[in-house]
Amino acid sequence: MAEKANVGPAGAAGRAPSADRPDMVRNVVLVGHSGAGKTTLVEALLAATGTVPRPGRVEEGTTVSDFDEVEVRQQRSVNLSLAPAVHNGIKINLLDTPGYADFVGDLRAGLRAADAALFVVSAVDGVDGLTRMLWEECGLVGMPRAVVITKIDHHRADFDEVLASCQDAFGDGVAPLYLPVDGRGLLGLLSQRFLDYSGGARTEREPDQEQLALIEQYRGDLIEGIIQESEDETLMDRYLSGESIDTKILIDDLEKAVARASFHPVLATAPGTGMIELLEIITQGFPSPLEHPLPEITTIDGKAVTDVTGDPDGPLVAEVVKTTSDPYVGRISLVRVFSGTLRPDMAVHVSGHGLADRGHEDHDVDERIGGLSSPLGKTQRPVPKCVAGDICAIAKLSRAETGDTLSDRERPLLMRSWDMPDPLLPVAIRARSKADEDKLSQALARLVAEDPTLRLENNPETRQLVLWCMGEAHADVLLDRMSRRYGVEVERVPLRVPLRETFGGRAQGMGRNVKQTGGHGQYAICHIEVEPLPSGGGLEFVDKIVGGVVPRQFIPSVEKGVRAQMERGVLAGYPVVDIRVTLYDGKAHSVDSSDMAFQIAGQLALKEAAGKVPTLLLEPVDEVSVLVSDEFVGAVMSDLSARRGRVLGSEPAGAGRTLVRAEVPELEITRYAVDLRSMSHGTGTFHRDFLRYEPLPAHLADKVAASAEH
Ligand SMILES: Nc1nc2c(ncn2[C@@H]2O[C@H](COP(=O)(O)OP(=O)(O)O)[C@@H](O)[C@H]2O)c(=O)[nH]1
Ligand SMILES: [Mg+2]
């Protein structure tokens, strides 16, 4: 384990802690269902380490993590936030995350910045689907994990039941190190001591007979679990032959197994209870950044780089994991340094393309950073440097976005960004007033830049502004932020799916645009024939004019008019596609005919033709792949069928999950992001790709046409 070293004292008022070496750092992300007690746990750890004088309360909006105006009001976390604390000379960067699937973008950023995870489970509510899924994901990448069972002081807490549900959900290698007794005390299963927190500070006592019996009941499983993971193969034989194994050896083996992610201790906490034990696991069991594999690093043109080792004296590789805009301070970028050392006023190279859809090409620029700070909630405390393994904040970085790599200018490097989920809930919005409209695009640009799970679409076909979000709660937070932070009022409007129109058969139409009363007249008459083309045919315009009945120069005018009307639609305001239009007759006037007159005639002709045959509505159909826990496959498939979907097949996707593929009309999946989540208890994800346009069934076409605005 790491030797103790000097880390500056913590404290909001005092100097910010800053680590000198990577082995003095632990980056720990807190994961778990909303309400499990993550933010409260961070407060308790900050208080236990003397970082804050007393723990704040979520309900009072006084916690370090939940400082954003939305968080204070809603009394829950919606952002990733960093809270550094120091224990025994080790700097612990606590990364608090939101527990809702809607904010999974920040959760992923937290996992990227961390080297170990605390899975926080409430003794009242147990494990949920999303937490179980994240456990599996962490398992796949070998992330060291411990389970913290909170709320053991609650009158409805049932430790045995929640422990069983954790062991069931998380699988092998999950065993308690401590047992809670009476809400304020813990029994150390290895130390065989009673740790009493009822008087505030911890006191240690010999357990009584009843407590000893309880320890006996759990201790055997724990020791066997540790020995199984021990690198000393003789240990198991010695244990089985009845030898009592020295506790020091067990603790040492336990810590190594935790760091290797093969053993996951379960701890129990309540406010003011169990923090010392938790801090021990974090500082002694969790790996330092040096022991955690680095993400893939390449040169700018993609060649693998192998000499970067996480050395503070090595080349600089740092990554922007989160960007926020503070109305007073401006932009703040949370940065994890993976190699080298960041110092104030350094010039760095920015590479990558971030994660957000910023609508421009990969960039590759230099930027000078200003001051470095260590954030504690709202407070930014300046630090003189940030070494490999540590996390800090940089104010006013203008070019680097979330997911971008910062490196030395002399040696530009690139880290592959972590995977971000696609936003899949479209929310159509419009500005409340003209004044709001003017400010809208700037506010949206800033929101998109700071949130990689938000995508903005300006749909030219439906003429709607669409925010693609992770879910309803995400959309609410964004609209709220837009109003409070940028003073822009927007409202939601019903989403229009980009339907299209086409002709159901062949028809002729005449466009007659004759106005010759007084002044300069208009004179244009054209006859066209319209025929449907196969899908993807667009417009084919055929000129069959003989004898110059429509003069040469006005033939393109007719085509222009037809195109204009096609864009505007002939039935429900959706663009017309896939037709051949043949201009075969017409009439002109030597003075009153003009380009404009023939454009209008072309429009009228198409409208008239459309009135003579059924007009079909076409709807976009997507290929949808749904990844879901095996237990929900049946429900997902029948739901897809109910959405007029065609299930194409399903295949096992590993880790107890199945991939279901289907073709589904877009009209039926506008809210699928929300519905799938509730159907699959938060575990399902999906991906959609536009496939083709297909005729909309007649009974639906009538409904859509009736409700359409012209
Ligand atoms: N009794 C009790 N309540 C707790 C404990 N931890 C959290 N809470 C309460 O549970 C609620 C949710 O806590 P919070 O920290 O916001 O959970 P998060 O969503 O995981 O960050 C709050 O009302 C807390 O006061 C605990 O250990 N004991
Ligand atoms: Mg929280």
Side-chain angles (χ1 to χ4, degrees):
M1 288 297 115
E3 66 184 276
K4 291 177 190 175
N6 260 342
V7 178
R15 213 153 51 79
S18 116
D20 283 334
R21 299 196 315 262
D23 61 350
M24 294 155 57
V25 179
R26 300 290 179 276
N27 296 310
V28 182
V29 64
L30 287 88
V31 179
H33 193 259
S34 185
K38 299 177 292 298
T39 302
T40 306
L41 190 60
V42 167
E43 284 303 307
L45 288 168
L46 292 176
T49 51
T51 313
V52 296
R54 76 193 71 80
R57 289 175 50 81
V58 175
E59 293 84 350
E60 292 164 4
T62 51
T63 65
V64 166
S65 314
D66 290 357
F67 62 86
D68 179 282
E69 77 266 329
V70 176
E71 297 178 316
V72 171
R73 208 155 7 90
Q74 299 191 355
Q75 299 183 8
R76 59 168 189 175
S77 318
V78 301
N79 290 311
L80 172 69
S81 69
L82 171 68
V86 178
H87 180 70
N88 281 349
I90 301 280
K91 182 182 178 200
I92 306 168
N93 288 317
L94 296 164
L95 293 152
D96 189 12
T97 63
Y100 283 87
D102 279 53
F103 306 110
V104 76
D106 269 27
L107 176 60
R108 300 225 172 268
L111 285 166
R112 169 68 158 221
D115 303 306
L118 289 178
F119 274 71
V120 180
V121 179
S122 135
V124 182
D125 304 306
V127 185
D128 72 306
L130 184 64
T131 307
R132 180 195 299 239
M133 197 174 85
L134 286 165
W135 180 277
E136 273 169 21
E137 274 181 33
C138 285
L140 294 177
V141 297
M143 176 81 117
R145 278 151 288 161
V147 179
V148 182
I149 295 180
T150 57
K151 307 195 189 182
I152 54 167
D153 59 322
H154 198 282
H155 67 279
R156 283 197 288 119
D158 187 334
F159 183 77
D160 284 327
E161 193 182 309
V162 76
L163 176 65
S165 92
C166 288
Q167 286 174 326
D168 176 51
F170 300 152
D172 291 343
V174 174
L177 284 186
Y178 301 91
L179 293 181
V181 276
D182 305 333
R184 301 301 313 261
L186 299 173
L187 290 175
L189 294 181
L190 286 181
S191 64
Q192 305 192 68
R193 305 278 287 171
F194 176 52
L195 311 163
D196 187 0
Y197 280 93
S198 57
R202 182 177 87 169
T203 51
E204 272 191 54
R205 276 191 274 128
E206 285 299 325
D208 61 26
Q209 280 308 319
E210 203 181 318
Q211 292 170 338
L212 269 180
L214 210 55
I215 290 175
E216 267 326 296
Q217 198 186 322
Y218 286 86
R219 189 172 145 85
D221 278 352
L222 171 66
I223 293 178
E224 272 171 40
I226 296 172
I227 291 178
Q228 251 162 27
E229 294 302 331
S230 171
E231 281 162 344
D232 179 354
E233 277 152 20
T234 67
L235 209 59
M236 186 55 97
D237 293 340
R238 281 158 53 199
Y239 175 70
L240 290 178
S241 65
E243 188 181 320
S244 109
I245 310 292
D246 184 28
T247 308
K248 275 208 188 67
I249 295 179
L250 289 174
I251 292 178
D252 195 43
D253 277 339
L254 162 84
E255 288 171 357
K256 284 186 186 143
V258 171
R260 277 202 312 272
S262 58
F263 185 81
H264 315 289
V266 178
L267 293 101
T269 65
T273 302
M275 296 311 135
I276 301 174
E277 293 73 21
L278 186 51
L279 287 166
E280 273 169 13
I281 281 293
I282 292 174
T283 50
Q284 294 166 40
F286 281 171
S288 86
L290 287 178
E291 296 160 81
H292 195 77
L294 290 178
E296 191 184 316
I297 298 171
T298 64
T299 59
I300 301 296
D301 44 18
K303 290 198 191 72
V305 168
T306 51
D307 63 334
V308 175
T309 58
D311 179 355
D313 298 321
L316 177 68
V317 182
E319 184 175 42
V320 179
V321 290
K322 163 102 187 150
T323 313
T324 47
S325 317
D326 181 288
Y328 305 106
V329 187
R331 239 170 154 211
I332 297 174
S333 312
L334 205 60
V335 173
R336 156 91 201 242
V337 182
F338 286 91
S339 167
T341 300
L342 263 182
R343 294 181 196 282
D345 302 321
M346 223 171 151
V348 296
H349 185 80
V350 179
S351 49
H353 35 78
L355 292 155
D357 183 8
R358 278 180 267 126
H360 54 73
E361 293 299 298
D362 292 15
H363 60 275
D364 209 1
V365 293
D366 289 346
E367 168 154 30
R368 183 168 293 279
I369 62 176
L372 299 180
S373 62
S374 172
L376 187 68
K378 259 197 273 264
T379 334
Q380 298 292 335
R381 302 161 305 166
V383 287
K385 65 175 182 215
C386 184
V387 297
D390 205 353
I391 303 173
C392 70
I394 307 179
K396 300 195 173 76
L397 262 187
S398 61
R399 298 198 149 137
E401 305 279 8
T402 304
D404 281 350
T405 308
L406 309 181
S407 54
D408 289 322
R409 281 197 323 181
E410 304 74 48
R411 185 152 184 221
L413 294 170
L414 184 61
M415 275 172 94
R416 211 173 73 99
S417 300
W418 66 96
D419 287 336
M420 265 292 172
D422 284 339
L424 290 163
L425 179 69
V427 176
I429 55 163
R430 78 172 161 226
R432 280 242 163 90
S433 70
K434 183 75 185 67
D436 291 316
E437 204 175 312
D438 295 341
K439 292 183 284 182
L440 183 63
S441 60
Q442 206 190 351
L444 284 173
R446 285 164 80 168
L447 286 179
V448 168
E450 74 177 63
D451 185 351
T453 60
L454 173 64
R455 196 159 58 78
L456 184 65
E457 180 194 355
N458 211 333
N459 191 310
E461 262 180 50
T462 60
R463 292 180 284 279
Q464 280 193 322
L465 198 55
V466 181
L467 278 182
W468 287 83
C469 307
M470 295 297 299
E472 284 296 343
H474 188 210
D476 287 344
V477 165
L478 292 166
L479 298 195
D480 192 88
R481 197 165 276 165
M482 201 121 68
S483 140
R484 286 176 193 263
R485 194 184 287 171
Y486 302 109
V488 185
E489 299 299 328
V490 295
E491 58 195 8
R492 294 177 179 221
V493 290
L495 181 83
R496 295 187 82 204
V497 168
L499 302 182
R500 291 179 176 176
E501 302 176 359
T502 193
F503 278 61
R506 182 189 292 250
Q508 295 187 335
M510 178 183 69
R512 186 170 191 281
N513 177 26
V514 178
K515 289 197 186 91
Q516 291 181 299
T517 47
H520 194 67
Q522 288 188 37
Y523 194 100
I525 295 174
C526 66
H527 294 262
I528 59 170
E529 183 171 83
V530 186
E531 312 157 71
L533 287 179
S535 173
L539 166 69
E540 213 179 291
F541 188 83
V542 183
D543 164 22
K544 283 219 175 125
I545 292 295
V546 283
V549 288
V550 175
R552 257 335 62 218
Q553 72 269 30
F554 295 139
I555 289 172
S557 312
V558 176
E559 180 175 348
K560 227 165 145 189
V562 166
R563 278 192 196 278
Q565 192 59 49
M566 283 175 74
E567 258 171 46
R568 236 172 277 156
V570 290
L571 174 72
Y574 296 104
V576 177
V577 293
D578 307 336
I579 50 171
R580 176 184 297 129
V581 173
T582 308
L583 172 64
Y584 65 91
D585 200 1
K587 224 168 164 183
H589 183 274
S590 58
V591 177
D592 290 341
S593 283
S594 65
D595 169 42
M596 208 42 188
F598 270 100
Q599 283 193 38
I600 292 169
Q603 291 176 19
L604 295 172
L606 191 75
K607 274 207 269 196
E608 201 200 58
K612 293 184 181 163
V613 281
T615 314
L616 300 181
L617 279 175
L618 301 174
E619 60 172 344
V621 174
D622 288 0
E623 171 153 356
V624 177
S625 347
V626 187
L627 186 62
V628 72
S629 296
D630 294 344
E631 58 193 300
F632 301 117
V633 170
V636 164
M637 284 195 183
S638 58
D639 173 75
L640 287 170
S641 305
R643 292 171 191 267
R644 298 191 287 123
R646 276 183 296 271
V647 175
L648 302 174
S650 68
E651 59 204 67
R657 275 180 276 177
T658 302
L659 188 73
V660 179
R661 285 187 311 112
E663 293 179 3
V664 197
E666 277 184 19
L667 275 173
E668 307 293 334
I669 48 168
T670 54
R671 293 186 53 79
Y672 197 53
V674 175
D675 300 340
L676 174 64
R677 196 174 291 158
S678 66
M679 207 179 340
S680 64
H681 299 188
T683 61
T685 55
F686 74 106
H687 183 81
R688 52 187 267 189
D689 278 315
F690 169 72
L691 206 56
R692 60 174 170 267
Y693 273 87
E694 279 182 15
L696 182 70
H699 65 285
L700 291 169
D702 294 345
K703 233 168 61 189
V704 172
S707 69
E709 29 178 306
H710 279 266

